[in-house]
Amino acid sequence: MKYSNSVSFLVYGRMALFSDPITRAGGEKCSYQVPTYQALKGVTESIYWKPTLMWYIDAVRVLKPITSRSEGIRPINYGGGNTLSIYTYLTDVAYQVKAHFEWNENRPDLANDRNENKHYFIAKRMIECGGRRDVFLGTRECQAYVEPCEFGSGKGAFDDLPELSFGLMFHGFTYPDENGKNLLQARFWYPKMRNGVIEFCRPEECPVIRTVKKQKPKQFSEGKNLTCCDFLAEEAGYNGMDAKTV
């Protein structure tokens, strides 16, 4: 499906760690072979995000061969001191990502900020600038870089591979202000890569959804923790506006 506010970008880095939750119970971290929906959503939100909207990841294209390496890490214990763990990272990664945004209908307090042109053009400019905030792939030590691209362009390592399945895999979290149920939920699905491309299902279509805990969304109120800036876009114009003002 094509969306009028769809964006695409290239994200790449020296390493990535998309943690499999099964391996984290014992203090170790082992990366999935491909990025999760939640990790790519985090990358997109680092490029540009406001609570008015929700980013949906439509597809990811894997450009380079899947390789990994393990490293000994000394993380800090909660009670003080250090321990020894083994983290398994993906190395030399590059992905093309296609995403679009939709309004967060569970945020009626931000309805005045629903200006599609404003958010779309700011997002495009932020991609050209490499993102508004630091971008990383899975964990903070995996620094990444972003630049514009045309989704599907160039040669990919798995273009000639008809299909590859990854079994049950973590999809992402659904936060209370996204589901309107005052619940934090975890989602799982069965991804398949076809000719190097993984097309993500929508969050509500995931076959396995589990409740993590009860949680209420943060409330925004103008004059306290919300600055009304939607009028700035109208006064300054969408194309000539400085991105820092919104």
Side-chain angles (χ1 to χ4, degrees), residues 92-105:
D92 190 23
V93 297
Y95 308 104
Q96 291 179 346
V97 182
K98 181 167 60 175
H100 74 280
F101 66 83
E102 298 178 10
W103 303 131
N104 188 345
E105 299 296 340

Side-chain angles (χ1 to χ4, degrees), residues 25-100:
E28 312 290 323
K29 291 183 181 180
C30 183
S31 179
Y32 283 120
Q33 295 172 294
V34 292
T36 62
Y37 179 99
Q38 188 68 35
L40 295 176
K41 182 181 178 183
V43 169
T44 312
E45 290 179 345
S46 293
I47 295 171
Y48 176 69
W49 177 80
K50 290 187 72 177
T52 311
L53 54 87
M54 295 189 296
W55 283 106
Y56 287 83
I57 309 302
D58 300 315
V60 61
R61 182 172 178 238
V62 183
L63 297 180
K64 294 188 176 183
I66 300 172
T67 58
S68 64
R69 75 164 185 259
S70 296
E71 294 184 6
I73 306 295
R74 292 179 59 83
I76 299 175
N77 278 328
Y78 288 110
N82 296 84
T83 186
L84 179 63
S85 296
I86 302 297
Y87 290 5
T88 303
Y89 297 90
L90 298 178
T91 59
D92 190 23
V93 297
Y95 308 104
Q96 291 179 346
V97 182
K98 181 167 60 175
H100 74 280

